[in-house]
Every structure is written in C-alpha cells, then in structure tokens.
Amino acid sequence: MSETVENLSVDQEETQGKEQKTFSAEYVRALRSESRTHRLAAKTNEQALRKLLGIMDTEELGNVNSRIAAFEQTQQQRETDLLAKANKRLIGAEIKALAGYDTALLAELIDCSQITVDDNGSITGLDEAVQKVAERFPAVKKPSAEPFSLGASLENMSVSKSVNQQMNEAIRASIR
C-alpha cells in the first residue's frame, strides 16, 4: 500500500511541475472537422466494400481479408468461364467457315479438347481435329458439286422460268 501512495505522490509532482496545455477553439474545430472527414470517408469505403462483396448492412464484416480472397476467387472463376465460352464460340465460328464440310455435323462430332485458342485469337489444332473426324465419319464431307460452266447459257438448260421472271419479261415487253 505504501507503494501506491508513493506512485500517487510522484504522479502529482509531475503534473504540478508541468503546465496543462490548452488548445484554441479554432484548432479543436479543425481537428474535429478533419476527424469527421476521415470518419465519413471510412463509412463510404465500408459501404462500397459491402456492396462489392455482397454483404448486408446488418451482417458483420468479419475477416475482410478472407472475404476479399473468396471474392477474388469467384471473379477468377467467372473470368475463366467467360474465356472458355468465348473460345468455344470462336472455334464454332471457325468450323462454320470451313468449306466442303457439313458444318453442323462436324461441330457435333469434333473433339474440341485438342483445339486451343491463344491470346491473339489464333486457333491451333482445328485442321487435325477436322481430318480425324472426316476419316472416321466420311459423311461429314460434302460431295463436291460440278462448277457452273461459263459457256452454258440459260436457253440451253432446261430450267423453267419462275413467275417473277415471267412477270418481269411481260413488264419489259409492255414498256418497249
């Protein structure tokens, strides 16, 4: 008990030896204004964080770092899914652009696991995959059609004229 009395007397001596500092009202207002600004900014940032992470106002923030890590993982998964979807569309468009193949059947039969799309959008492995499918399923290839002969004329061909063509000829004849 004597130690506590001694400690009190030492504390009293120190405070009596020092002058108490007082601050002006303007300085105190400035500090309070600055504190208010920081408090409002922190509240705004917390609300933005809650909105971004999908946390309700009534829900505790808890471990913010773990919530941010989970959010980043979710975003990474979304990005991966979107990239895979875009690559699938790119490969599908490239398959549809192939000439001489039944592209609908080819798109169903082709093994897309061997086809890759790089960051520039260049597709590799498509030709090999198409050849494998064509070897295994010959129906994928369309039969080649005879090219139109430039020397052939419509009069020599047995093509019946459509109603539109007949109407056009009748109108042209009446104008002359």
Short mmCIF file of all heavy atoms in Angstrom, two decimals, residues 10-65:
data_model
loop_
_atom_site.label_atom_id
_atom_site.label_comp_id
_atom_site.label_asym_id
_atom_site.label_seq_id
_atom_site.Cartn_x
_atom_site.Cartn_y
_atom_site.Cartn_z
N VAL A 10 4.27 10.76 -6.73
CA VAL A 10 5.17 11.03 -7.85
C VAL A 10 4.37 11.58 -9.03
O VAL A 10 4.79 12.55 -9.67
CB VAL A 10 5.95 9.75 -8.25
CG1 VAL A 10 6.71 9.95 -9.53
CG2 VAL A 10 6.88 9.33 -7.13
N ASP A 11 3.18 10.99 -9.31
CA ASP A 11 2.35 11.46 -10.41
C ASP A 11 1.87 12.89 -10.17
O ASP A 11 1.84 13.71 -11.07
CB ASP A 11 1.13 10.54 -10.60
CG ASP A 11 1.51 9.19 -11.19
OD1 ASP A 11 2.60 9.12 -11.81
OD2 ASP A 11 0.73 8.24 -11.02
N GLN A 12 1.53 13.18 -8.91
CA GLN A 12 1.06 14.53 -8.58
C GLN A 12 2.18 15.54 -8.76
O GLN A 12 1.96 16.64 -9.27
CB GLN A 12 0.53 14.58 -7.15
CG GLN A 12 -0.78 13.89 -6.96
CD GLN A 12 -1.18 13.83 -5.49
OE1 GLN A 12 -0.39 14.16 -4.60
NE2 GLN A 12 -2.40 13.38 -5.26
N GLU A 13 3.38 15.17 -8.38
CA GLU A 13 4.52 16.07 -8.54
C GLU A 13 4.79 16.36 -10.00
O GLU A 13 5.09 17.48 -10.39
CB GLU A 13 5.76 15.49 -7.87
CG GLU A 13 5.71 15.47 -6.37
CD GLU A 13 6.91 14.75 -5.77
OE1 GLU A 13 7.84 14.40 -6.54
OE2 GLU A 13 6.91 14.53 -4.56
N GLU A 14 4.69 15.32 -10.86
CA GLU A 14 4.95 15.50 -12.29
C GLU A 14 3.91 16.42 -12.92
O GLU A 14 4.23 17.28 -13.73
CB GLU A 14 4.97 14.15 -13.01
CG GLU A 14 6.19 13.33 -12.73
CD GLU A 14 6.17 11.97 -13.43
OE1 GLU A 14 5.21 11.71 -14.19
OE2 GLU A 14 7.09 11.19 -13.22
N THR A 15 2.62 16.23 -12.59
CA THR A 15 1.58 17.06 -13.18
C THR A 15 1.63 18.49 -12.65
O THR A 15 1.30 19.42 -13.36
CB THR A 15 0.18 16.47 -12.92
OG1 THR A 15 0.00 16.31 -11.53
CG2 THR A 15 -0.02 15.19 -13.66
N GLN A 16 2.08 18.66 -11.41
CA GLN A 16 2.16 20.01 -10.86
C GLN A 16 3.34 20.76 -11.49
O GLN A 16 3.28 21.97 -11.68
CB GLN A 16 2.33 19.98 -9.34
CG GLN A 16 1.09 19.57 -8.62
CD GLN A 16 1.33 19.39 -7.13
OE1 GLN A 16 2.45 19.51 -6.64
NE2 GLN A 16 0.27 19.10 -6.40
N GLY A 17 4.38 20.04 -11.84
CA GLY A 17 5.56 20.65 -12.44
C GLY A 17 5.30 21.07 -13.89
O GLY A 17 5.95 21.96 -14.40
N LYS A 18 4.36 20.45 -14.55
CA LYS A 18 4.09 20.77 -15.96
C LYS A 18 2.88 21.68 -16.04
O LYS A 18 1.96 21.59 -15.24
CB LYS A 18 3.79 19.49 -16.76
CG LYS A 18 4.94 18.56 -16.90
CD LYS A 18 4.52 17.38 -17.74
CE LYS A 18 5.63 16.35 -17.82
NZ LYS A 18 5.21 15.19 -18.56
N GLU A 19 2.89 22.49 -17.05
CA GLU A 19 1.72 23.31 -17.30
C GLU A 19 0.74 22.50 -18.12
O GLU A 19 1.14 21.77 -19.01
CB GLU A 19 2.10 24.55 -18.11
CG GLU A 19 2.64 25.68 -17.32
CD GLU A 19 2.86 26.89 -18.21
OE1 GLU A 19 2.03 27.16 -19.09
OE2 GLU A 19 3.89 27.52 -18.02
N GLN A 20 -0.51 22.65 -17.84
CA GLN A 20 -1.51 21.98 -18.66
C GLN A 20 -1.65 22.76 -19.95
O GLN A 20 -1.77 23.98 -19.94
CB GLN A 20 -2.85 21.91 -17.96
CG GLN A 20 -2.87 20.91 -16.84
CD GLN A 20 -4.27 20.79 -16.28
OE1 GLN A 20 -5.10 21.66 -16.45
NE2 GLN A 20 -4.52 19.67 -15.62
N LYS A 21 -1.62 22.02 -21.07
CA LYS A 21 -1.71 22.66 -22.37
C LYS A 21 -3.17 22.84 -22.73
O LYS A 21 -3.96 21.93 -22.55
CB LYS A 21 -1.00 21.84 -23.45
CG LYS A 21 0.47 21.78 -23.27
CD LYS A 21 1.11 21.09 -24.44
CE LYS A 21 2.61 21.09 -24.27
NZ LYS A 21 3.28 20.45 -25.40
N THR A 22 -3.50 23.97 -23.25
CA THR A 22 -4.85 24.22 -23.75
C THR A 22 -4.74 24.58 -25.21
O THR A 22 -3.75 25.17 -25.66
CB THR A 22 -5.52 25.36 -22.98
OG1 THR A 22 -4.73 26.53 -23.10
CG2 THR A 22 -5.74 24.99 -21.53
N PHE A 23 -5.75 24.18 -25.95
CA PHE A 23 -5.76 24.43 -27.38
C PHE A 23 -6.84 25.44 -27.70
O PHE A 23 -7.88 25.49 -27.05
CB PHE A 23 -6.00 23.12 -28.15
CG PHE A 23 -4.95 22.07 -27.88
CD1 PHE A 23 -5.21 21.00 -27.03
CD2 PHE A 23 -3.70 22.17 -28.45
CE1 PHE A 23 -4.25 20.05 -26.77
CE2 PHE A 23 -2.73 21.22 -28.20
CZ PHE A 23 -3.00 20.16 -27.37
N SER A 24 -6.60 26.16 -28.76
CA SER A 24 -7.58 27.17 -29.15
C SER A 24 -8.82 26.49 -29.72
O SER A 24 -8.76 25.36 -30.21
CB SER A 24 -6.98 28.13 -30.17
OG SER A 24 -6.75 27.44 -31.38
N ALA A 25 -9.93 27.21 -29.69
CA ALA A 25 -11.20 26.67 -30.21
C ALA A 25 -11.10 26.42 -31.71
O ALA A 25 -11.64 25.44 -32.23
CB ALA A 25 -12.33 27.65 -29.90
N GLU A 26 -10.36 27.26 -32.41
CA GLU A 26 -10.19 27.08 -33.86
C GLU A 26 -9.44 25.80 -34.17
O GLU A 26 -9.79 25.05 -35.07
CB GLU A 26 -9.43 28.28 -34.42
CG GLU A 26 -9.30 28.26 -35.92
CD GLU A 26 -8.57 29.49 -36.44
OE1 GLU A 26 -8.95 30.62 -36.04
OE2 GLU A 26 -7.64 29.30 -37.23
N TYR A 27 -8.40 25.51 -33.40
CA TYR A 27 -7.62 24.29 -33.59
C TYR A 27 -8.48 23.06 -33.31
O TYR A 27 -8.44 22.08 -34.05
CB TYR A 27 -6.39 24.32 -32.67
CG TYR A 27 -5.54 23.09 -32.77
CD1 TYR A 27 -4.75 22.85 -33.89
CD2 TYR A 27 -5.50 22.15 -31.75
CE1 TYR A 27 -3.96 21.72 -33.99
CE2 TYR A 27 -4.72 21.01 -31.83
CZ TYR A 27 -3.96 20.81 -32.95
OH TYR A 27 -3.18 19.68 -33.06
N VAL A 28 -9.26 23.11 -32.25
CA VAL A 28 -10.13 21.99 -31.90
C VAL A 28 -11.18 21.77 -32.99
O VAL A 28 -11.46 20.64 -33.38
CB VAL A 28 -10.79 22.22 -30.52
CG1 VAL A 28 -11.85 21.17 -30.24
CG2 VAL A 28 -9.74 22.22 -29.42
N ARG A 29 -11.76 22.86 -33.52
CA ARG A 29 -12.72 22.73 -34.63
C ARG A 29 -12.07 22.11 -35.86
O ARG A 29 -12.65 21.26 -36.53
CB ARG A 29 -13.30 24.11 -34.98
CG ARG A 29 -14.51 24.48 -34.17
CD ARG A 29 -15.21 25.70 -34.79
NE ARG A 29 -14.39 26.91 -34.76
CZ ARG A 29 -14.38 27.80 -33.76
NH1 ARG A 29 -15.17 27.62 -32.72
NH2 ARG A 29 -13.61 28.85 -33.81
N ALA A 30 -10.86 22.52 -36.16
CA ALA A 30 -10.14 21.96 -37.31
C ALA A 30 -9.91 20.47 -37.12
O ALA A 30 -10.08 19.67 -38.06
CB ALA A 30 -8.82 22.69 -37.53
N LEU A 31 -9.50 20.07 -35.91
CA LEU A 31 -9.29 18.64 -35.63
C LEU A 31 -10.59 17.86 -35.75
O LEU A 31 -10.63 16.76 -36.31
CB LEU A 31 -8.70 18.44 -34.24
CG LEU A 31 -7.21 18.71 -34.08
CD1 LEU A 31 -6.80 18.53 -32.63
CD2 LEU A 31 -6.40 17.80 -34.97
N ARG A 32 -11.66 18.41 -35.21
CA ARG A 32 -12.95 17.73 -35.29
C ARG A 32 -13.42 17.63 -36.73
O ARG A 32 -13.98 16.61 -37.14
CB ARG A 32 -13.99 18.47 -34.44
CG ARG A 32 -13.78 18.26 -32.97
CD ARG A 32 -14.83 18.97 -32.16
NE ARG A 32 -14.63 18.71 -30.74
CZ ARG A 32 -15.20 19.40 -29.79
NH1 ARG A 32 -16.04 20.38 -30.08
NH2 ARG A 32 -14.97 19.11 -28.53
N SER A 33 -13.21 18.67 -37.51
CA SER A 33 -13.61 18.64 -38.93
C SER A 33 -12.81 17.58 -39.69
O SER A 33 -13.36 16.83 -40.49
CB SER A 33 -13.39 20.02 -39.55
OG SER A 33 -13.63 19.98 -40.93
N GLU A 34 -11.52 17.53 -39.41
CA GLU A 34 -10.67 16.52 -40.06
C GLU A 34 -11.10 15.11 -39.65
O GLU A 34 -11.19 14.20 -40.48
CB GLU A 34 -9.21 16.76 -39.68
CG GLU A 34 -8.25 15.79 -40.36
CD GLU A 34 -6.81 16.04 -39.95
OE1 GLU A 34 -6.52 17.03 -39.25
OE2 GLU A 34 -5.96 15.22 -40.34
N SER A 35 -11.39 14.95 -38.38
CA SER A 35 -11.85 13.65 -37.88
C SER A 35 -13.17 13.26 -38.54
O SER A 35 -13.36 12.09 -38.92
CB SER A 35 -12.02 13.72 -36.37
OG SER A 35 -12.55 12.52 -35.87
N ARG A 36 -14.06 14.22 -38.68
CA ARG A 36 -15.36 13.96 -39.33
C ARG A 36 -15.15 13.53 -40.78
O ARG A 36 -15.78 12.58 -41.26
CB ARG A 36 -16.23 15.22 -39.27
CG ARG A 36 -17.57 15.05 -39.93
CD ARG A 36 -18.41 16.33 -39.75
NE ARG A 36 -19.72 16.15 -40.31
CZ ARG A 36 -20.08 16.60 -41.51
NH1 ARG A 36 -19.23 17.27 -42.25
NH2 ARG A 36 -21.31 16.37 -41.96
N THR A 37 -14.24 14.21 -41.48
CA THR A 37 -13.94 13.87 -42.87
C THR A 37 -13.44 12.43 -42.98
O THR A 37 -13.88 11.67 -43.85
CB THR A 37 -12.90 14.85 -43.45
OG1 THR A 37 -13.38 16.18 -43.32
CG2 THR A 37 -12.62 14.54 -44.91
N HIS A 38 -12.53 12.06 -42.10
CA HIS A 38 -11.99 10.69 -42.12
C HIS A 38 -13.06 9.67 -41.76
O HIS A 38 -13.12 8.59 -42.35
CB HIS A 38 -10.80 10.56 -41.16
CG HIS A 38 -9.59 11.29 -41.60
ND1 HIS A 38 -8.94 11.02 -42.79
CD2 HIS A 38 -8.90 12.31 -41.03
CE1 HIS A 38 -7.91 11.82 -42.93
NE2 HIS A 38 -7.86 12.63 -41.88
N ARG A 39 -13.91 10.01 -40.80
CA ARG A 39 -14.99 9.11 -40.39
C ARG A 39 -15.97 8.88 -41.54
O ARG A 39 -16.37 7.75 -41.81
CB ARG A 39 -15.70 9.71 -39.17
CG ARG A 39 -16.46 8.76 -38.33
CD ARG A 39 -17.01 9.37 -37.04
NE ARG A 39 -17.73 10.63 -37.24
CZ ARG A 39 -17.30 11.82 -36.85
NH1 ARG A 39 -16.15 11.96 -36.22
NH2 ARG A 39 -18.02 12.91 -37.08
N LEU A 40 -16.35 9.97 -42.24
CA LEU A 40 -17.28 9.83 -43.38
C LEU A 40 -16.65 9.05 -44.53
O LEU A 40 -17.31 8.24 -45.17
CB LEU A 40 -17.74 11.21 -43.85
CG LEU A 40 -18.64 11.98 -42.89
CD1 LEU A 40 -18.91 13.38 -43.42
CD2 LEU A 40 -19.94 11.23 -42.67
N ALA A 41 -15.36 9.28 -44.77
CA ALA A 41 -14.66 8.53 -45.83
C ALA A 41 -14.61 7.05 -45.50
O ALA A 41 -14.81 6.20 -46.37
CB ALA A 41 -13.26 9.09 -46.03
N ALA A 42 -14.34 6.74 -44.23
CA ALA A 42 -14.29 5.33 -43.81
C ALA A 42 -15.66 4.68 -43.96
O ALA A 42 -15.76 3.53 -44.41
CB ALA A 42 -13.81 5.23 -42.36
N LYS A 43 -16.71 5.41 -43.63
CA LYS A 43 -18.06 4.87 -43.76
C LYS A 43 -18.42 4.65 -45.23
O LYS A 43 -18.99 3.62 -45.60
CB LYS A 43 -19.08 5.82 -43.11
CG LYS A 43 -20.47 5.26 -43.04
CD LYS A 43 -21.37 6.14 -42.22
CE LYS A 43 -22.73 5.47 -42.07
NZ LYS A 43 -23.58 6.16 -41.13
N THR A 44 -18.06 5.60 -46.09
CA THR A 44 -18.30 5.46 -47.54
C THR A 44 -17.54 4.26 -48.10
O THR A 44 -18.09 3.47 -48.87
CB THR A 44 -17.88 6.74 -48.27
OG1 THR A 44 -18.60 7.85 -47.73
CG2 THR A 44 -18.15 6.64 -49.76
N ASN A 45 -16.28 4.10 -47.69
CA ASN A 45 -15.48 2.97 -48.16
C ASN A 45 -16.05 1.65 -47.66
O ASN A 45 -16.05 0.65 -48.39
CB ASN A 45 -14.03 3.13 -47.71
CG ASN A 45 -13.33 4.25 -48.45
OD1 ASN A 45 -13.74 4.66 -49.53
ND2 ASN A 45 -12.28 4.78 -47.85
N GLU A 46 -16.54 1.63 -46.43
CA GLU A 46 -17.14 0.41 -45.89
C GLU A 46 -18.39 0.04 -46.68
O GLU A 46 -18.62 -1.13 -47.00
CB GLU A 46 -17.48 0.57 -44.41
CG GLU A 46 -18.09 -0.68 -43.81
CD GLU A 46 -18.51 -0.52 -42.37
OE1 GLU A 46 -18.06 0.43 -41.70
OE2 GLU A 46 -19.30 -1.35 -41.92
N GLN A 47 -19.21 1.04 -47.00
CA GLN A 47 -20.43 0.78 -47.78
C GLN A 47 -20.08 0.26 -49.17
O GLN A 47 -20.72 -0.66 -49.68
CB GLN A 47 -21.28 2.04 -47.88
CG GLN A 47 -21.96 2.42 -46.59
CD GLN A 47 -22.66 3.77 -46.67
OE1 GLN A 47 -22.39 4.56 -47.56
NE2 GLN A 47 -23.54 4.03 -45.71
N ALA A 48 -19.05 0.85 -49.79
CA ALA A 48 -18.61 0.38 -51.11
C ALA A 48 -18.10 -1.06 -51.03
O ALA A 48 -18.41 -1.88 -51.90
CB ALA A 48 -17.54 1.30 -51.67
N LEU A 49 -17.35 -1.37 -49.99
CA LEU A 49 -16.84 -2.72 -49.80
C LEU A 49 -17.98 -3.71 -49.58
O LEU A 49 -17.99 -4.80 -50.15
CB LEU A 49 -15.87 -2.76 -48.62
CG LEU A 49 -15.19 -4.08 -48.34
CD1 LEU A 49 -14.28 -4.46 -49.51
CD2 LEU A 49 -14.39 -4.01 -47.06
N ARG A 50 -18.96 -3.32 -48.79
CA ARG A 50 -20.12 -4.18 -48.55
C ARG A 50 -20.86 -4.45 -49.86
O ARG A 50 -21.28 -5.58 -50.12
CB ARG A 50 -21.07 -3.54 -47.53
CG ARG A 50 -20.60 -3.64 -46.11
CD ARG A 50 -21.59 -2.97 -45.17
NE ARG A 50 -21.18 -3.06 -43.79
CZ ARG A 50 -21.37 -4.13 -43.03
NH1 ARG A 50 -21.98 -5.18 -43.51
NH2 ARG A 50 -20.96 -4.14 -41.78
N LYS A 51 -21.04 -3.42 -50.66
CA LYS A 51 -21.75 -3.57 -51.93
C LYS A 51 -20.97 -4.48 -52.87
O LYS A 51 -21.54 -5.36 -53.52
CB LYS A 51 -21.97 -2.21 -52.58
CG LYS A 51 -22.78 -2.26 -53.85
CD LYS A 51 -23.04 -0.88 -54.39
CE LYS A 51 -23.88 -0.97 -55.65
NZ LYS A 51 -24.14 0.37 -56.21
N LEU A 52 -19.66 -4.27 -52.96
CA LEU A 52 -18.82 -5.07 -53.84
C LEU A 52 -18.80 -6.54 -53.44
O LEU A 52 -18.91 -7.43 -54.29
CB LEU A 52 -17.40 -4.52 -53.84
CG LEU A 52 -16.39 -5.24 -54.72
CD1 LEU A 52 -16.72 -4.99 -56.19
CD2 LEU A 52 -14.99 -4.77 -54.41
N LEU A 53 -18.71 -6.79 -52.14
CA LEU A 53 -18.63 -8.17 -51.65
C LEU A 53 -19.99 -8.80 -51.40
O LEU A 53 -20.08 -9.98 -51.08
CB LEU A 53 -17.79 -8.22 -50.37
CG LEU A 53 -16.33 -7.80 -50.50
CD1 LEU A 53 -15.64 -7.83 -49.15
CD2 LEU A 53 -15.59 -8.65 -51.51
N GLY A 54 -21.06 -8.00 -51.51
CA GLY A 54 -22.40 -8.54 -51.32
C GLY A 54 -22.72 -8.81 -49.86
O GLY A 54 -23.39 -9.80 -49.55
N ILE A 55 -22.27 -7.94 -48.99
CA ILE A 55 -22.51 -8.11 -47.55
C ILE A 55 -23.62 -7.15 -47.14
O ILE A 55 -23.56 -5.96 -47.44
CB ILE A 55 -21.23 -7.81 -46.74
CG1 ILE A 55 -20.10 -8.73 -47.20
CG2 ILE A 55 -21.48 -7.96 -45.26
CD1 ILE A 55 -18.76 -8.37 -46.61
N MET A 56 -24.62 -7.67 -46.45
CA MET A 56 -25.73 -6.84 -45.99
C MET A 56 -25.26 -5.89 -44.90
O MET A 56 -24.27 -6.16 -44.21
CB MET A 56 -26.86 -7.73 -45.45
CG MET A 56 -27.39 -8.76 -46.44
SD MET A 56 -28.18 -8.01 -47.84
CE MET A 56 -29.65 -7.39 -47.07
N ASP A 57 -25.99 -4.77 -44.72
CA ASP A 57 -25.63 -3.80 -43.70
C ASP A 57 -25.76 -4.38 -42.29
O ASP A 57 -25.02 -3.98 -41.39
CB ASP A 57 -26.51 -2.55 -43.82
CG ASP A 57 -26.16 -1.72 -45.04
OD1 ASP A 57 -25.00 -1.84 -45.52
OD2 ASP A 57 -27.03 -0.96 -45.51
N THR A 58 -26.68 -5.31 -42.12
CA THR A 58 -26.88 -5.90 -40.80
C THR A 58 -25.85 -6.99 -40.50
O THR A 58 -25.69 -7.38 -39.35
CB THR A 58 -28.29 -6.53 -40.71
OG1 THR A 58 -28.44 -7.49 -41.76
CG2 THR A 58 -29.35 -5.46 -40.85
N GLU A 59 -25.15 -7.45 -41.52
CA GLU A 59 -24.18 -8.54 -41.37
C GLU A 59 -22.81 -7.98 -40.96
O GLU A 59 -22.40 -6.91 -41.42
CB GLU A 59 -24.06 -9.27 -42.71
CG GLU A 59 -23.33 -10.56 -42.68
CD GLU A 59 -23.34 -11.24 -44.05
OE1 GLU A 59 -24.10 -10.81 -44.92
OE2 GLU A 59 -22.58 -12.19 -44.21
N GLU A 60 -22.12 -8.71 -40.10
CA GLU A 60 -20.78 -8.30 -39.66
C GLU A 60 -19.79 -8.49 -40.81
O GLU A 60 -19.90 -9.45 -41.57
CB GLU A 60 -20.33 -9.14 -38.46
CG GLU A 60 -20.93 -8.73 -37.15
CD GLU A 60 -20.43 -7.37 -36.69
OE1 GLU A 60 -19.23 -7.06 -36.84
OE2 GLU A 60 -21.26 -6.60 -36.19
N LEU A 61 -18.83 -7.60 -40.89
CA LEU A 61 -17.79 -7.74 -41.92
C LEU A 61 -16.91 -8.96 -41.64
O LEU A 61 -16.51 -9.66 -42.56
CB LEU A 61 -16.93 -6.48 -41.99
CG LEU A 61 -17.49 -5.33 -42.79
CD1 LEU A 61 -16.57 -4.13 -42.68
CD2 LEU A 61 -17.67 -5.71 -44.23
N GLY A 62 -16.61 -9.18 -40.39
CA GLY A 62 -15.78 -10.33 -40.04
C GLY A 62 -14.37 -10.17 -40.58
O GLY A 62 -13.83 -9.07 -40.62
N ASN A 63 -13.79 -11.25 -41.03
CA ASN A 63 -12.44 -11.22 -41.57
C ASN A 63 -12.50 -10.71 -43.01
O ASN A 63 -12.87 -11.45 -43.93
CB ASN A 63 -11.81 -12.61 -41.50
CG ASN A 63 -10.36 -12.60 -41.89
OD1 ASN A 63 -9.83 -11.59 -42.36
ND2 ASN A 63 -9.71 -13.72 -41.71
N VAL A 64 -12.15 -9.47 -43.20
CA VAL A 64 -12.26 -8.83 -44.51
C VAL A 64 -11.32 -9.48 -45.51
O VAL A 64 -11.67 -9.68 -46.67
CB VAL A 64 -11.98 -7.31 -44.40
CG1 VAL A 64 -11.98 -6.66 -45.76
CG2 VAL A 64 -13.00 -6.65 -43.49
N ASN A 65 -10.12 -9.86 -45.07
CA ASN A 65 -9.15 -10.47 -45.98
C ASN A 65 -9.67 -11.78 -46.56
O ASN A 65 -9.49 -12.05 -47.75
CB ASN A 65 -7.82 -10.68 -45.27
CG ASN A 65 -7.12 -9.37 -44.99
OD1 ASN A 65 -7.32 -8.39 -45.68
ND2 ASN A 65 -6.32 -9.36 -43.94
#
